Amino acid sequence: MSDAMALAWRAVEREGERLKGHSLRELFARDPGRFASLSFAFGDLLVDFSKERIDRAALDALLALAEAAELPARRDAMFAGERINTTEDRAALHSALRGGTDEGVAMDGAVAAHEVMAVQARFLAFAEDVRGGRCAARDGGPFTDVVHIGIGGSHLGPEMAVRALRPDHDGPRVHFVSNVDGADLADTIRGFDPARTLVLVASKTFTTQETMTNARSARAWLEAALGDRAGAHLAAISSNVDAAGAFGIRRGRVFGFWDWVGGRYSLWSAIGLPIAIAIGAARFRRLLAGAADMDAHFRTAPPCRNLPVLAGLVSIWRRNVMRCPSVALIPYDQRLARFPAYVQQLEMESNGKRVARDGGPVARPTAPAVWGEPGTNAQHSFFQLLHQGTDVVPVDFIVAAQAREADADHHRLLVANCLAQGQALAFGRTRDEARAEMGAAGVDEVTAERLAPHRTFPGDRPSTTIVHHRLDPRSLGRLVALYEHRVFVEGVLWDVNSFDQWGVELGKKLADRLRPALDGSPLPEGVDVSTAGLIRHLDRSTAR
Ligand code: F6P
């Protein structure tokens, strides 16, 4: 670590020490301008950090840390197509898919922006053909259902976005299958007419065992009903075009992308095909435009007003100064129900790393665990722990000012709940307040005294509130790109490669080795006694 970085980290830690003794109640009482100075806007998007346990001085120390880490230069290297994914010798140029890279920039040394546009035009034309019935089922009728098969980055983004944009759907119904558990495919296609179903197989590598197993079963399902006409009901999205061809999907139905598009950053590529089928090419382009808005902001706004930079720095504060090992993401938006799962992969697969870029150990804890559910449902399950549990879990709240539904009553209540939770976490309820409230409600003194500790909320629990005008393709694109770039900023400060994922390899290899033993073949040599015992037990249970 450079001397400048070490000094900057020490300054951040000193700020942490300074703020330790000051509660959020105190910080708000001391500075009535806190909201104005710690909330930041970009277009209709507002990000309020004032309920985080920081102040301007702490933020300045974090900004100095970003400078010492040469964040602007690292960001520019990503947008310029440098091979910043050093362990796989690849660029990370998902921004190029949404127009965030200048025309003519050579990507990966070979692919130019116009090629990206050509592939995009091709898969969007296919989406429109499916929607318009020009790409028809074998009998000439339109497809009524589309089943997208993929996993991880080839699944979470499309599923999240399709759900988020439900009011914009005017194409065939789109469904998702990801788990190798046969229940996923079986439950999804139950009752579907194969003669009216299009199956999309999405896999960057076209080798992922879950996706290939599901794809083979789906193909068999189509073949059983349609015989050799089944091919007309299949399309693929992959950067391994040859493997898709070998699977039996004809060239014109294979939509490619490039190795510089990481799986978890791929919804902007042909992996977004199910989104385009659901909402149409024009709205899909608005999704891309929203992400491009955020790219431009990230590239050009000064760090002190740059939303992804600030959000990344606040994450660092939560993780490395407050030492919080997990964060919750609570969209007050039912249509963003899969957004926490999407960000979970984005954060944990990108920055869940224990070695730095040079292969040495990281200097500090890296990615937190990310989890969440939409509000208000979450309030009635795990919010108890957020308010009164022994660990502090910082929360991101996301809420739209305007609903897509006409009934404003629901939305007012939703927003009130979102704001109330942030308040309760930040300011809590003291023991005296709890006692006084019970007294006012007519509870006798002895009971009030006994219940007061249970009804006390410690407060001082940080949250960030993200408000946008309303959830639509453009605002969703912006929101997703905000989180992508936040993860990038964190990765720079932790000095990890945010674009590889070697940690998923070992389990896949071991599963391949164990699989024959589950068919009755001898156990692999050297297998541990626990795994061997479990296989024998499963074998006996299968025989029952
Ligand atoms: O599980 C790891 C992973 O490699 C993800 O990063 C990726 O998105 C997913 O598997 C699926 O990979 P593919 O698109 O090649 O099937």
Side-chain angles (χ1 to χ4, degrees), residues 184-265:
D184 200 1
L185 179 66
D187 290 354
T188 302
I189 62 177
R190 180 168 303 130
F192 286 10
D193 178 2
R196 283 278 180 277
T197 305
L198 176 67
V199 173
L200 305 177
V201 183
S203 173
K204 182 175 171 182
T205 54
F206 227 74
T207 57
T208 303
Q209 52 175 229
E210 293 91 336
T211 301
M212 297 325 298
T213 305
N214 278 323
R216 279 190 294 271
S217 300
R219 186 181 56 188
W221 174 73
L222 289 173
E223 282 168 353
L226 308 171
D228 57 8
R229 295 170 304 156
H233 290 239
L234 282 166
I237 307 148
S238 183
S239 51
N240 189 351
V241 174
D242 292 340
F247 183 82
I249 300 177
R250 57 176 189 256
R251 283 258 157 179
R253 284 286 186 87
V254 182
F255 302 94
F257 57 109
W258 303 270
D259 70 356
W260 42 261
V261 184
R264 55 195 172 274
Y265 299 89

Side-chain angles (χ1 to χ4, degrees), residues 407-481:
D407 189 336
D409 265 2
H410 284 262
H411 198 65
R412 274 195 288 269
L413 200 52
L414 184 77
V415 175
N417 271 280
C418 176
L419 300 181
Q421 292 301 323
Q423 264 189 318
L425 286 166
F427 307 117
R429 180 164 68 190
T430 65
R431 197 169 170 139
D432 285 348
E433 287 167 350
R435 234 188 266 115
E437 269 181 38
M438 284 186 277
V443 176
D444 69 81
E445 238 174 75
V446 176
T447 308
E449 189 56 38
R450 182 170 61 78
L451 291 181
H454 301 279
R455 303 190 65 171
T456 298
F457 287 63
D460 226 14
R461 302 193 167 204
S463 65
T464 291
T465 305
I466 300 176
V467 183
H468 58 173
H469 179 57
R470 87 185 185 147
L471 183 64
D472 59 24
R474 192 153 192 148
S475 64
L476 180 67
R478 239 175 13 193
L479 189 65
V480 174

Side-chain angles (χ1 to χ4, degrees), residues 4-75:
M5 273 297 271
L7 273 175
W9 270 114
R10 272 204 291 283
V12 167
E13 277 152 9
R14 268 199 308 277
E15 290 301 315
E17 283 303 312
R18 177 180 62 79
L19 280 172
K20 228 179 210 163
H22 304 283
S23 67
L24 278 169
R25 275 192 185 224
E26 214 181 312
L27 294 175
F28 271 86
R30 210 196 290 159
D31 177 11
R34 204 174 148 79
F35 175 75
S37 64
L38 289 173
S39 57
F40 301 86
F42 169 54
D44 65 88
L45 189 64
L46 180 92
V47 184
D48 174 23
F49 297 114
S50 65
K51 293 196 185 81
E52 294 289 340
R53 298 204 62 248
I54 51 165
D55 61 10
R56 277 305 319 189
L59 201 55
D60 288 344
L62 286 163
L63 285 162
L65 180 68
E67 203 180 308
E70 299 177 346
L71 175 64
R74 297 278 302 279
R75 173 200 60 200

Side-chain angles (χ1 to χ4, degrees), residues 79-80 93 95-105 107 113 295 299:
F79 282 100
L93 257 182
S95 56
L97 302 167
R98 47 220 196 191
T101 297
D102 302 335
E103 267 291 323
V105 168
M107 286 175 274
D295 291 337
R299 292 175 83 178

